[in-house]
């Protein structure tokens, strides 16, 4: 099977402080969009490691995942190219750590914003993914699973060679 279909694996962080959630505002081909700190799983890392890295790259904060909120599958068609893309998202809740103000935010990230659930719901047209709201609703409903739910075999973490 030379053309086996594979979803794009992504991670996302749900970070709450005083009833507000940390989001990023991204410059995309469709304009400025809101999203959780999120990104793609890179070779040689676990989903948990990817989430820690993505939060640091997109918000300049350390992040400690404490629970899995959910695992989500969604399909997206790019506006400009028509590309049909499926994403498999691992969403993690956790604690925000030290802010590294000297770090530049990842390319395309305009800024970080803290928003209430009501503000997030009121900006649906600006969401980068429908999973932003779905993950938020699951988090607010108290959905949490042990980090042990996501196992990464040591073979993944070994250097290629």
């Amino acid at each position: 099977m030379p053309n086996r279909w594979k979803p794009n694996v992504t991670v996302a962080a749900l970070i709450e402080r005083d009833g507000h959630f940390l989001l990023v505002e991204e410059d995309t081909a469709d304009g400025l969009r809101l999203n959780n700190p999120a990104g793609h799983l890179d070779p040689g890392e676990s989903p948990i490691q990817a989430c820690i890295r993505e939060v640091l790259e997109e918000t300049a904060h350390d992040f400690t995942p404490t629970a899995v909120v959910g695992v989500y599958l969604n399909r997206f068609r790019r506006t400009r190219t028509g590309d049909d893309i499926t994403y498999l998202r691992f969403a993690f809740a956790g604690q925000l750590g030290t802010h590294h103000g000297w770090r530049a935010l990842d390319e395309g990230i305009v800024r970080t914003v803290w928003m209430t659930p009501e503000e997030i719901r009121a900006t649906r047209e600006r969401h980068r993914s429908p999973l932003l709201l779905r993950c938020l609703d699951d988090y607010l409903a108290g959905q949490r699973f042990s980090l042990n739910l996501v196992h990464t075999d040591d073979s993944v973490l070994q250097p290629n060679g």
Side-chain angles (χ1 to χ4, degrees):
M1 282 213 256
N3 293 321
R4 182 175 288 231
W5 172 82
K6 296 176 186 171
N8 291 276
V9 179
T10 62
V11 295
L14 286 103
I15 303 167
E16 180 185 15
R17 184 170 61 195
D18 301 325
H20 290 75
F21 289 84
L22 181 61
L23 302 181
V24 296
E25 188 174 51
E26 300 179 77
D27 188 14
T28 73
D30 295 321
L32 290 178
R33 295 288 182 251
L34 296 168
N35 200 8
N36 304 100
H40 291 265
L41 178 69
D42 283 348
E45 68 183 355
S46 72
I48 292 169
Q49 290 169 330
C51 194
I52 292 167
R53 176 185 51 76
E54 286 291 349
V55 171
L56 181 61
E57 290 175 355
E58 294 194 354
T59 72
H61 280 89
D62 291 331
F63 177 68
T64 304
T66 57
V68 176
V69 175
V71 180
Y72 306 86
L73 194 65
N74 81 305
R75 191 171 171 187
F76 175 75
R77 187 168 301 277
R78 289 189 193 220
T79 306
R80 292 187 323 155
T81 64
D83 292 343
D84 187 1
I85 304 169
T86 299
Y87 293 100
L88 177 64
R89 174 187 271 202
F90 292 83
F92 296 93
Q95 299 298 315
L96 198 61
T98 302
H99 180 251
H100 304 279
W102 54 268
R103 284 188 66 100
L105 301 182
D106 216 0
E107 184 177 337
I109 304 298
V110 175
R111 65 184 177 128
T112 59
V113 293
W114 288 94
M115 297 176 74
T116 65
E118 295 76 24
E119 291 168 332
I120 295 169
R121 286 188 185 94
T123 58
R124 282 184 193 180
E125 73 285 351
R126 294 191 57 223
H127 293 182
R128 178 139 191 211
S129 166
L131 294 181
L132 169 59
L133 196 52
R134 176 59 195 258
C135 293
L136 175 69
D137 287 342
D138 288 348
Y139 176 89
L140 291 172
Q143 185 165 293
R144 308 283 191 288
F145 301 97
S146 168
L147 291 176
N148 292 332
L149 180 70
V150 181
H151 173 76
T152 301
D153 188 78
D154 287 341
S155 62
V156 171
L157 308 175
Q158 301 302 316
N160 290 336

